[in-house]
């Protein structure tokens, strides 16, 4: 309304109600010119207010006015709010993408056209020793000083990955990191890294497993083939024929044992985990272990003067130990394997002590102590590997397949139990199995 009042007063002053220049053409012209000039100045001032507001960009201080400048200011305000909403949405999406990359199990590094780090997740920082904040815009070549990576990065051929030794790699615990670069955008590069240590170890174990199986089966097959050719080509007496046939039966039994143990391992790996519905008395498990262990001891020491001295918990005490949950055949196989191993590797006259002890937390420990030759420390971590033997000739002489402890490990893992091995050369070994409290019930304190 102010501009209307000003325009009216100027018009009156120029030639309207005050009577100046009445009846002349100059009065009307001068009044119109002054009014137009006032309107122009006022309009410029309004425009200046809008421009000043646009420079600040403060949506809370939008000038309130009517007319074309008011509409322009209102439209600008709407566009600014829309733009701010789009920026916030883009920032939220960016943060979501970065959070997803941060949660990735693989390392992610964003490199600019000069190979400088623009961003990296925590996994990449851990794998390569980066500082996610400090090392931003640092050259990847200065931080990752590995000849293989340097050559890979310089070659610009990123069709395949390169495998590097991890920062925390040691001879006893090697760490292998796969690095793959992917160009994107305007000269930028995406670096993806992942820990392939387990994959390489699994591949090595697969190769060793195939080689070991081939060796374990090829050896008795070679012996059987030789005996068959001997029986076919040479005239033998009844005694010689009987001796050769006995050796052939022994080799066939060895192959059958290897195949049976392999089938057992395959079944354990492919079957569902045992539940808590089937309970077996601890007494029956250890009683069967005792029967098998004593029978094997008699068989192995029948030509020796001194048998094994074997000690098992008393039956009355075991009855108070209650029951254990799991698959009875698997538990029996695992515990018997440990007892039978002690019998096989302890010379005649040695002592084998089997114990079952309850702990204060409700768990129980099954242990087998022997007075055998003992095991060197470097062999202990590998004892549960398939076909791994400390003494190959001794194992074959006693009928071992090299799969017994691998079966034990799988059975115990399926039942939530743990295996601990300690040994001293020349003094013997102790194999201990700890069963969790949730798989035991009915323990009664002796009165």
């Amino acid at each position: 309304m102010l501009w209307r009042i000003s325009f009216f007063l100027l018009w009156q002053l120029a030639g309207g109600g005050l009577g100046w220049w009445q009846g002349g053409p100059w009065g009307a012209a001068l009044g119109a010119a002054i009014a137009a000039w006032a309107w122009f100045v006022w309009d410029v001032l309004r425009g200046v207010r809008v421009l000043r507001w646009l420079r600040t960009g403060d949506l809370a201080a939008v000038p309130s006015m009517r007319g074309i400048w008011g509409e322009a200011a209102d439209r600008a305000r709407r566009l600014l709010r829309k733009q701010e909403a789009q920026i916030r949405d883009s920032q939220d999406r960016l943060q979501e993408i970065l959070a997803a990359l941060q949660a990735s199990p693989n390392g992610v590094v964003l490199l600019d056209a000069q190979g400088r780090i623009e961003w990296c997740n925590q996994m990449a920082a851990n794998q390569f020793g980066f500082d996610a904040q400090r090392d931003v815009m640092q050259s990847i070549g200065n931080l990752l000083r590995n000849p293989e990576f340097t050559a890979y990065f310089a070659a610009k051929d990123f069709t395949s990955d390169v495998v590097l030794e991890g920062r925390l790699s040691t001879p006893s615990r090697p760490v292998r990191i796969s690095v793959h670069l992917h160009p994107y955008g305007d000269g930028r590069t995406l670096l993806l890294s992942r820990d392939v240590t387990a994959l390489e170890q699994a591949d090595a174990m697969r190769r060793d497993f195939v080689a070991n199986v081939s060796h374990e089966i090829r050896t008795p097959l070679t012996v059987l083939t030789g005996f068959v050719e001997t029986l076919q080509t040479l005239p033998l007496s009844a005694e010689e024929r009987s001796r050769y046939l006995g050796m052939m039966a022994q080799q066939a039994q060895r192959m059958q044992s290897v195949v049976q143990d392999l089938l057992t391992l395959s079944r354990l790996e492919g079957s569902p985990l045992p539940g808590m519905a089937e309970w077996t008395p601890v007494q029956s498990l250890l009683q069967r272990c005792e029967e098998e262990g004593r029978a094997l001891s008699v068989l192995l020491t029948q030509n020796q003067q001194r048998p094994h001295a074997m000690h098992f918990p008393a039956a009355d005490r075991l009855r108070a130990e209650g029951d254990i949950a799991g698959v009875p055949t698997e538990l029996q196989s695992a515990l018997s394997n440990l007892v039978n191993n002690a019998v096989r590797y302890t010379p005649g006259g040695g002592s084998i002590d089997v114990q079952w002890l309850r702990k204060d937390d409700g768990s129980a420990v099954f242990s087998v102590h022997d007075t055998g030759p003992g095991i060197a420390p470097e062999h202990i971590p590998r004892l549960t590997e398939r076909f791994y033997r400390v003494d190959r000739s001794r194992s074959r002489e006693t009928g071992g397949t090299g799969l017994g402890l691998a079966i034990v490990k799988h059975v115990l893992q399926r039942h939530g139990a743990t295996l601990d091995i300690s040994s001293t050369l020349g003094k013997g070994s102790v194999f201990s199995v700890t069963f969790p409290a949730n798989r035991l019930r009915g323990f009664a304190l002796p009165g």
Side-chain angles (χ1 to χ4, degrees):
M1 291 298 294
L2 183 61
W3 67 270
R4 291 181 178 179
I5 295 172
S6 300
F7 175 77
F8 176 76
L9 291 176
L10 288 171
W11 180 79
Q12 290 291 336
L13 180 65
L18 297 179
W20 291 8
W21 302 92
Q22 291 183 1
W26 294 102
L30 180 61
I34 294 174
W37 178 254
W39 169 265
F40 174 74
V41 171
W42 183 252
D43 195 57
V44 168
L45 292 176
R46 285 157 53 89
V48 169
R49 288 180 60 194
V50 173
L51 288 176
R52 188 183 299 117
W53 167 71
L54 288 175
R55 289 192 187 100
T56 62
D58 186 4
L59 293 179
V62 181
S64 177
M65 60 184 67
R66 295 183 180 181
I68 189 171
W69 285 114
E71 184 176 353
D74 186 62
R75 288 181 178 272
R77 176 181 57 81
R78 293 178 183 177
L79 289 175
L80 287 174
R81 285 186 175 177
K82 184 177 180 181
Q83 186 178 22
E84 283 192 353
Q86 291 176 344
I87 293 174
R88 285 195 301 269
D89 185 61
S90 298
Q91 290 177 343
D92 291 342
R93 289 180 179 273
L94 176 61
Q95 292 302 319
E96 289 177 0
I97 293 173
L98 294 180
L101 294 177
Q102 194 67 258
S104 171
N106 299 326
V108 181
V109 183
L110 304 181
L111 305 175
D112 64 8
Q114 286 73 42
R116 295 173 299 192
I117 298 175
E118 293 184 324
W119 182 88
C120 71
N121 66 354
Q122 191 58 44
M123 180 59 69
N126 295 337
Q127 290 174 343
F128 301 117
F130 297 160
D131 187 305
Q133 303 297 328
R134 182 192 63 203
D135 293 333
V136 171
M137 301 312 296
Q138 295 293 320
S139 174
I140 186 70
N142 295 336
L143 298 176
L144 190 53
R145 296 180 177 272
N146 185 292
E148 295 178 356
F149 176 78
T150 302
Y152 175 71
F153 188 73
K156 301 298 181 181
D157 182 10
F158 305 144
T159 54
S160 61
D161 63 345
V162 60
V163 179
L164 312 177
E165 187 175 273
R167 180 174 63 94
L168 302 177
S169 180
T170 62
S172 59
R173 299 188 64 181
V175 178
R176 304 285 287 170
I177 305 296
S178 168
V179 176
H180 202 167
L181 295 177
H182 302 270
Y184 77 98
D186 187 15
R188 286 178 164 80
T189 309
L190 172 66
L191 185 152
L192 297 179
S193 62
R194 62 191 181 108
D195 191 332
V196 295
T197 306
L199 292 176
E200 290 199 350
Q201 290 177 344
D203 189 55
M205 289 178 63
R206 179 187 59 80
R207 292 195 300 269
D208 293 343
F209 176 71
V210 172
N212 286 326
V213 170
S214 301
H215 175 74
E216 292 296 331
I217 295 180
R218 184 172 61 247
T219 301
L221 277 177
T222 302
V223 175
L224 283 173
T225 302
F227 285 150
V228 169
E229 291 177 355
T230 300
L231 291 173
Q232 288 175 338
T233 58
L234 296 179
L236 301 174
S237 64
E239 182 179 353
E240 290 175 329
R241 182 180 297 273
S242 176
R243 183 164 61 89
Y244 285 151
L245 288 174
M247 293 180 180
M248 292 172 66
Q250 183 180 8
Q251 296 300 322
Q253 179 62 38
R254 178 181 166 190
M255 282 195 299
Q256 185 177 1
S257 298
V258 171
V259 172
Q260 184 61 41
D261 283 350
L262 286 173
L263 291 175
T264 299
L265 276 174
S266 177
R267 178 179 56 79
L268 289 174
E269 292 176 346
S271 58
L273 294 177
M276 305 291 291
E278 193 170 7
W279 294 85
T280 304
V282 173
Q283 179 192 5
S284 63
L285 290 176
L286 267 66
Q287 184 177 353
R288 182 69 182 275
C289 290
E290 181 176 2
E291 293 172 356
E292 293 183 6
R294 292 189 184 279
L296 181 61
S297 175
V298 171
L299 178 64
L300 295 178
T301 61
Q302 58 185 347
N303 297 325
Q304 302 179 16
Q305 296 296 325
R306 301 175 60 192
H308 294 107
M310 304 186 69
H311 307 280
F312 285 81
D316 293 341
R317 178 179 171 275
L318 288 178
R319 274 195 290 270
E321 292 295 335
D323 305 325
I324 183 170
V327 182
T329 55
E330 294 183 11
L331 293 171
Q332 186 65 63
S333 173
L335 301 186
S336 294
N337 248 310
L338 296 179
V339 175
N340 294 341
N341 276 349
V343 173
R344 285 192 178 97
Y345 293 101
T346 301
S351 174
I352 298 171
D353 184 22
V354 179
Q355 297 180 3
W356 177 277
L357 298 175
R358 284 285 186 136
K359 300 173 68 174
D360 294 338
D361 60 1
S363 61
V365 179
F366 171 85
S367 60
V368 181
H369 306 243
D370 66 56
T371 57
I375 305 168
E378 63 269 19
H379 293 297
I380 292 178
R382 302 191 59 189
L383 287 179
T384 57
E385 294 181 13
R386 299 175 183 185
F387 296 111
Y388 186 83
R389 294 186 178 94
V390 176
D391 186 347
R392 291 185 175 272
S393 60
R394 173 66 177 168
S395 177
R396 291 194 179 96
E397 288 174 3
T398 57
T401 63
L403 295 171
L405 287 178
I407 294 175
V408 170
K409 181 187 72 172
H410 278 77
V411 170
L412 297 183
Q413 286 178 343
R414 286 166 51 79
H415 289 79
T418 58
L419 175 65
D420 181 67
I421 305 173
S422 60
S423 184
T424 304
L425 284 175
K427 295 185 178 180
S429 307
V430 180
F431 289 76
S432 301
V433 177
T434 302
F435 289 100
N438 66 328
R439 285 197 171 268
L440 302 167
R441 73 175 185 185
F443 174 61
L445 293 173

